[in-house]
Amino acid sequence: VDHPATQADKLGRIDRLGIDAGHVTFVAADLRDPGLADALIARGYEADAPSLITCEGVLVYLDEPTIGLLFDALRATATTGTRLAFSSSAVAAASPSPERRERFEAAVAAAGEPARSRLGPDQLARLLAATRWRSVELSERAGRAGLRVAAPEWVPAGNGREAAPPPTRSAVGRFMERLYHRTGTD
């Protein structure tokens, strides 16, 4: 998944280099716009198959509302056994020293890719909960390296939110939501 302009550039490079990428499915999507879940499924993503979804080195370049849209869309495609893995060392404001963070931000801005988010651990926890994910406990070493993993929470889309996220596409996921959140019960 890449921004349409970035993906067009990458595909052009792959073609010029003569690399066979016929086994790879490319999805062009602007993460600032809704519809990623639909785009993934339209390109063959199997919502009922457990997946490892990775967002490596991307969150720091997205603002918080866009990260929310991304997490919502990925949660809509999740089923039991799915995990969302992402790096947050550059995202978490408390992670690197302020000087190191400033050097990083200056370097990526100079390269034309400004950092757009500084999610601390509490903000990240709230964002995961709001987008129906829960953190999976990892080793202290993995945490220091900035690796985070989340699993789906089986809460129906909407669940009191003002703007309803995309509904769960997985039949197994919808069953889990009904199992844990039956209407008309205490």
Side-chain angles (χ1 to χ4, degrees):
V1 175
D2 259 315
H3 186 276
T6 304
Q7 188 156 98
D9 177 62
K10 287 181 181 178
L11 290 173
R13 291 171 192 248
I14 288 170
D15 188 49
R16 285 190 303 277
L17 292 169
I19 296 171
D20 176 20
H23 63 287
V24 178
T25 300
F26 295 92
V27 178
D30 187 333
L31 299 179
R32 296 172 294 187
D33 299 330
L36 177 60
D38 292 333
L40 288 169
I41 290 169
R43 297 289 293 151
Y45 181 86
E46 296 180 36
D48 281 311
S51 300
L52 172 60
I53 303 166
T54 60
C55 296
E56 183 61 34
V58 68
L59 299 185
V60 70
Y61 301 108
L62 305 176
D63 59 26
E64 190 171 344
T66 304
I67 295 171
L69 278 174
L70 173 62
F71 284 1
D72 271 339
L74 297 175
R75 172 51 187 83
T77 65
T79 192
T80 57
T82 295
R83 295 296 180 264
L84 168 62
F86 56 95
S87 56
S88 69
S89 59
V91 177
S95 182
S97 70
E99 297 82 19
R100 185 172 166 208
R101 176 68 191 200
E102 287 174 23
R103 284 194 311 272
F104 169 79
E105 288 180 357
V108 295
E113 294 285 340
R116 292 187 168 89
S117 60
R118 281 187 171 213
L119 295 176
D122 293 340
Q123 291 168 296
L124 186 57
R126 282 191 299 275
L127 185 59
L128 285 171
T131 56
R132 304 183 297 151
W133 291 97
R134 63 174 171 77
S135 288
V136 172
E137 193 168 326
L138 297 176
S139 71
E140 183 180 328
R141 182 177 181 195
R144 280 194 316 268
L147 178 63
R148 303 288 183 264
V149 175
E153 279 287 356
W154 300 115
V155 178
N159 199 39
R161 283 179 52 188
E162 193 172 303
T168 301
R169 303 304 203 280
S170 159
V172 174
R174 288 190 306 272
F175 171 79
M176 296 295 288
E177 289 170 356
R178 286 191 310 274
L179 181 67
Y180 289 117
H181 294 274
R182 294 176 185 241
T183 55
T185 62
D186 292 339

